[in-house]
Structures are given as C-alpha cells and as structure tokens.
Amino acid sequence: MLTYVQDRLDQTITVDQMATEAGMSPSHFARVFKETLGSTPMQYVMAYRVEQAMKMMDDPARPLGDIAMACGFSDQAHFTRSFKQVVGQTPRAFRAANAV
C-alpha cells in the first residue's frame, strides 16, 4: 500500500481507492489497516504526506506552496492546517527552526 500512496502523493487518495487496490471492501480494508498499522488509512496518508513535505523543506529555495501541491494538499492553507495538526507547528515555523 505504501507504493500506492507514494505513486499518488500529489493526487487525492481515498479509502475506496485503497480498498479497491487491495481487493477488499472499504470497511473491511479500513478495519484490517487499522488493526495492522494502528492508524486509519487516511491518518497514514496524512502522516506520509507531512513526512515527505518535511523532507522537501530541506531545500530553502522551494516555496511552501509548491511543496503543498507536490504532497497532495488542496492549497497552502490546507497544508498549513494539516502540518500543524501532525507536527505541532506551522510549516514556516518548522522550516525556520530546522534551517541549517
């Protein structure tokens, strides 16, 4: 499933799509996914997107808006809200705190 998410990082990913890829019903897939990995499929996708965004922020010349789009967020505001929910600070604050 990680490959599926990696290949579609910049796209909308739904539980239905992931379940179809796994050959399961959405409810069964979501249940098995949570039992196996300890998070819901969408929590996993969000955490992966934020993780990739953090790596992309190593390039100080790359605009946050570009990173947001590359990681599948609908806009920079959505990226900022989601990033802050997962990391505890905004992307701008994270980038400033981790600047080399």
Side-chain angles (χ1 to χ4, degrees):
M1 198 50 50
L2 179 56
T3 302
Y4 182 85
V5 174
Q6 287 173 335
D7 292 346
R8 291 158 183 80
L9 183 63
D10 64 339
Q11 303 169 20
T12 299
I13 301 171
T14 66
V15 173
D16 288 351
Q17 292 168 330
M18 293 169 73
T20 299
E21 183 71 15
M24 299 178 190
S25 73
S27 60
H28 182 67
F29 172 77
R31 187 171 43 258
V32 170
F33 193 98
K34 185 161 185 170
E35 288 171 358
T36 304
L37 296 177
S39 66
T40 69
M42 297 321 297
Q43 287 170 333
Y44 175 84
V45 169
M46 184 60 62
Y48 183 75
R49 286 183 167 156
V50 168
E51 177 185 323
Q52 295 310 302
M54 290 167 74
K55 290 178 185 176
M56 290 178 194
M57 281 191 264
D58 286 343
D59 177 359
R62 188 160 189 186
L64 292 176
D66 288 354
I67 293 170
M69 294 297 123
C71 292
F73 294 97
S74 57
D75 55 37
Q76 192 169 341
H78 178 222
F79 171 51
T80 299
R81 282 190 311 274
S82 300
F83 192 95
K84 187 171 183 179
Q85 185 177 26
V86 173
V87 178
Q89 57 186 344
T90 66
R92 179 165 287 138
F94 176 85
R95 181 179 257 176
N98 293 285
V100 176

